[in-house]
Amino acid sequence: MLKKIASNHLNKTTYLWLGVLALLLLPWVVGAAGGNYWVRVLDFALLYVVLALGLNVVVGFAGLLDLGYIAFYALGAYSFALLASPHLPQQFEAVAAAFPEGMHFSPWMVAIFAIVLAALFGVILGLPTLQLRGDYLAIVTLGFGEIIRIFMNNLDRPLNLTNGPKGITKIDPLQVFGISFAKTLDLGFVKIPSLYLVFYLFLVLATTVAFICMHLQNSRIGRAWVAIREDEIAAKAMGINTRNMKLLAFAIGASFAGVAGVLFAAFQGFVSPESFTLWESIVVLAMVVLGGIGHIPGVILGAVVLAVFPEVLRGIAEPLQKALFGHVIVDVEVIRQLIYGLALILIMLYRPGGIWQKQEAQS
């Protein structure tokens, strides 16, 4: 018996290290096979993993349907865009006088600020929705997300805070411990391209968020969320403070999105309201639902699949239509939305727990 337990532990350890090695080599393999474009796709896939895990806290754990989740992503992105770009000094003389060398706040400093700001807005969103459920909650959160986007789109007058639909450019690149993620890192024995460095940074962030979510799920807080999700009245009767637990879910989920937004702005070097539309919230929600709502490995799978799928589709659909018809008949974006819709319908009909659902959901 002891030998069997030791053997199982050894196998798990072996698989774990093999998985770590595969992830470390992944950008090199993908870069060699498809070029830097596909490494960039992987980078964004990891950002979507963080977003999906954050939304899973709200939707999957606590059962609160949030259609305005991307607003917290926008708050993080604009926080870094404003605090690490020439925009504010160029628009306001007082800011230029206070920062004669320009505003170049550290991404980690801004990340802490974004966590607090996003969590605060998460609580602000949660307070008026405590008595709402289902469709009503979805409508309120949808409205919140649209309000944030509209603010970002129109705060270019009378004071130009966000530069409106033009967006904010010249955002400082990521820099950690003196290492710039905007250029190749030369270690002497190997040169690591900037996109590969970003991949490793985003991988660390996604792993950290997944680790936090796993511990939350198995904690008293996680069990309280599940109780609220299954039957709020029964949870309240058992002594659970449903009000505080709901607000905590909104705040934690929002904080993850805020950090992801900071890294998105630093990686992209440009932010605009077009990156934070309702469609983005729907895509992140689809990742949670299709992957396996409430199941962390399933959510990660759903995020990776739906982040990579559009690029694969773009590489197949356009050349195929040109080969068959001589030109593109149906835009790839339309095909993608059609496939998303069909996938959601099929998942809800035949596998409501998601592609990689929990064991209890399967039984």
Side-chain angles (χ1 to χ4, degrees), residues 121-176:
F121 271 85
V123 172
I124 291 172
L125 170 63
L127 281 171
T129 64
L130 290 173
Q131 303 302 320
L132 301 177
R133 301 176 190 171
D135 299 341
Y136 299 100
L137 176 61
I139 291 171
V140 171
T141 55
L142 185 154
F144 172 79
E146 283 300 288
I147 287 170
I148 295 295
R149 184 188 64 80
I150 291 169
F151 262 98
M152 301 301 183
N153 201 44
N154 291 278
L155 282 180
D156 57 342
R157 56 187 186 275
L159 298 176
N160 189 358
L161 292 176
T162 64
N163 209 28
K166 296 178 182 178
I168 299 174
T169 59
K170 299 180 181 179
I171 301 171
D172 291 348
L174 281 169
Q175 190 165 343
V176 182

Side-chain angles (χ1 to χ4, degrees), residues 63-290:
L64 305 169
L65 184 55
D66 186 355
L67 291 180
Y69 182 71
I70 211 68
F72 308 117
Y73 187 48
L75 288 172
Y78 270 91
S79 295
F80 188 71
L82 292 172
L83 296 175
S85 76
H87 176 71
L88 289 180
Q90 289 175 354
Q91 299 299 323
F92 304 99
E93 293 182 1
V95 176
F99 298 92
E101 296 182 1
M103 299 183 72
H104 303 284
F105 282 80
S106 164
W108 307 118
M109 188 184 300
V110 180
I112 295 172
F113 171 75
I115 288 173
V116 176
L117 180 66
L120 177 62
F121 271 85
V123 172
I124 291 172
L125 170 63
L127 281 171
T129 64
L130 290 173
Q131 303 302 320
L132 301 177
R133 301 176 190 171
D135 299 341
Y136 299 100
L137 176 61
I139 291 171
V140 171
T141 55
L142 185 154
F144 172 79
E146 283 300 288
I147 287 170
I148 295 295
R149 184 188 64 80
I150 291 169
F151 262 98
M152 301 301 183
N153 201 44
N154 291 278
L155 282 180
D156 57 342
R157 56 187 186 275
L159 298 176
N160 189 358
L161 292 176
T162 64
N163 209 28
K166 296 178 182 178
I168 299 174
T169 59
K170 299 180 181 179
I171 301 171
D172 291 348
L174 281 169
Q175 190 165 343
V176 182
F177 303 123
I179 299 174
S180 174
F181 284 71
K183 56 185 179 182
T184 301
L185 176 63
D186 189 356
L187 297 177
F189 61 94
V190 64
K191 292 183 178 180
I192 307 178
S194 61
L195 286 175
Y196 297 21
L197 289 172
V198 171
F199 174 87
Y200 293 132
L201 177 64
F202 288 179
L203 179 62
V204 170
L205 174 65
T207 304
T208 303
V209 171
F211 181 78
I212 294 171
C213 288
M214 288 175 65
H215 279 266
L216 281 172
Q217 187 177 29
N218 298 322
S219 68
R220 292 180 62 185
I221 294 173
R223 291 193 293 271
W225 283 336
V226 172
I228 293 170
R229 182 189 70 196
E230 297 300 328
D231 192 328
E232 185 176 345
I233 296 175
K236 195 176 290 187
M238 292 169 62
I240 295 174
N241 190 327
T242 57
R243 173 181 176 276
N244 289 352
M245 287 297 104
K246 284 183 176 181
L247 293 179
L248 185 61
F250 274 116
I252 291 176
S255 63
F256 291 156
V259 174
V262 171
L263 295 182
F264 166 76
F267 177 47
Q268 191 83 340
F270 168 76
V271 295
S272 70
E274 283 72 25
S275 298
F276 312 107
T277 60
L278 172 62
W279 174 246
E280 288 297 316
S281 284
I282 293 173
V283 168
V284 179
L285 180 61
M287 291 171 178
V288 175
V289 174
L290 289 175

Side-chain angles (χ1 to χ4, degrees), residues 303-324:
V304 172
V305 169
L306 290 190
V308 174
F309 168 74
E311 307 308 320
V312 175
L313 182 65
R314 184 173 289 109
I316 295 174
E318 288 187 357
L320 184 61
Q321 291 186 73
K322 288 179 180 178
L324 292 175

